[in-house]
Amino acid sequence: MRILLAEDDQTIADHTRGKLEMEGFVVEHRATGPDVWAEGETGDYAAIILDLGLPGMDGLSILKRWRASGVETPILVLTARGSWMERVDGFDAGADDYLPKPFRSEELIARLKALLRRAGGRAKTRASAGGFVLDEVARRITYDDRPIDLTPLEFRLLALLIAEPDRVFDPLEIARQVQGRDDDAGKNAVEAMIARIRRKTHATAIETRRGFGYTIAGEGA
Ligand code: CA
């Protein structure tokens, strides 16, 4: 499988490339923003590992351009440690996962494989629960057969709940998975998003299990 590695730090790039190749991946490496953008736009890759801090054009702008032009390749973003804003911006721009630097190559590979599994499972791109129908490819969710107008973060949140009906999600876990942060501010943001989604659908579309978290009922419930 071909992977595009976008990283301007030569030491990290060499090390990461070596580990990926040991896992059997074919790695193309690019180190500047414009090169990365052009390669991702035209190349055929199973996934892209994208450092956000690149010379010439930053990773976030590249990501937005790719998504705007219809590039659907799964993208794992590398962010500065603790910079949750970068992660939120990254998810907003269309990243599929993120990994804070410095990272262990074992974790990078585990995340990459999970990303590829999810992408491969896109044959199963539709899921439904509690009146919601999720279409991963079209990035669209309907409720009672009506499309809902969602922000990218609201979409991620709903998709998470729909993918596992009847599972009760702790708000901090939702914040971590949706926004890449699990502090009080992240939790508050999740609560605000849930309230907005309910206004856009129905007050009981997402259930609150007091003291535990949020869930969407399965079809059989
Ligand atoms: Ca960098």
Side-chain angles (χ1 to χ4, degrees):
M1 261 185 220
R2 293 183 77 217
I3 305 292
L4 176 60
L5 173 63
E7 171 60 75
D8 60 318
D9 183 314
Q10 195 62 44
T11 310
I12 297 176
D14 287 345
H15 180 76
T16 306
R17 170 185 220 139
K19 294 285 182 181
L20 288 168
E21 287 176 348
M22 268 167 33
E23 291 288 323
F25 293 107
V26 177
V27 180
E28 281 293 328
H29 171 231
R30 295 290 184 277
T32 70
D35 283 353
V36 166
W37 170 73
E39 190 56 35
E41 187 83 10
T42 54
D44 183 22
Y45 292 99
I48 299 173
I49 298 169
L50 177 66
D51 178 33
L52 288 190
L54 292 170
M57 192 192 299
D58 69 278
L60 214 51
S61 306
I62 296 171
L63 183 53
K64 285 180 188 160
R65 284 203 195 185
W66 282 339
R67 292 311 192 215
S69 65
V71 174
E72 288 182 348
T73 314
I75 294 172
L76 174 67
V77 155
L78 305 177
T79 68
R81 174 165 293 284
S83 176
W84 64 267
M85 266 314 293
E86 274 192 1
R87 288 175 227 159
V88 172
D89 288 346
F91 283 141
D92 258 338
D96 296 279
D97 199 2
Y98 72 90
L99 192 60
K101 282 178 162 182
F103 55 85
R104 297 188 58 82
S105 49
E106 289 79 7
E107 177 158 25
L108 175 76
I109 285 162
R111 297 282 196 101
L112 181 65
K113 286 181 174 171
L115 203 63
L116 291 166
R117 269 198 306 276
R118 289 206 295 275
R122 273 181 198 167
K124 186 188 175 301
T125 52
R126 290 170 74 87
S128 58
F132 290 99
V133 176
L134 161 70
D135 184 333
E136 282 273 13
V137 173
R139 310 292 282 174
R140 190 173 52 216
I141 297 174
T142 59
Y143 182 72
D144 279 351
D145 298 324
R146 287 191 318 263
I148 323 166
D149 186 21
L150 297 166
T151 66
L153 286 181
E154 289 167 2
F155 179 89
R156 285 181 70 85
L157 187 158
L158 254 186
L160 182 72
L161 297 185
I162 295 168
E164 288 188 73
D166 295 323
R167 177 173 161 201
V168 179
F169 284 84
D170 183 275
L172 284 176
E173 189 193 344
I174 299 175
R176 186 173 55 75
Q177 297 225 26
V178 171
Q179 299 178 288
R181 64 185 304 187
D182 52 3
D183 53 11
D184 279 346
K187 185 176 159 182
N188 292 340
V190 164
E191 284 166 0
M193 275 191 274
I194 299 260
R196 283 199 302 274
I197 294 168
R198 283 175 172 155
R199 280 199 295 276
K200 291 173 183 183
T201 54
H202 190 273
T204 60
I206 299 172
E207 294 172 33
T208 302
R209 296 284 164 80
R210 204 162 295 283
F212 294 99
Y214 300 103
T215 188
I216 293 176
E219 300 298 336

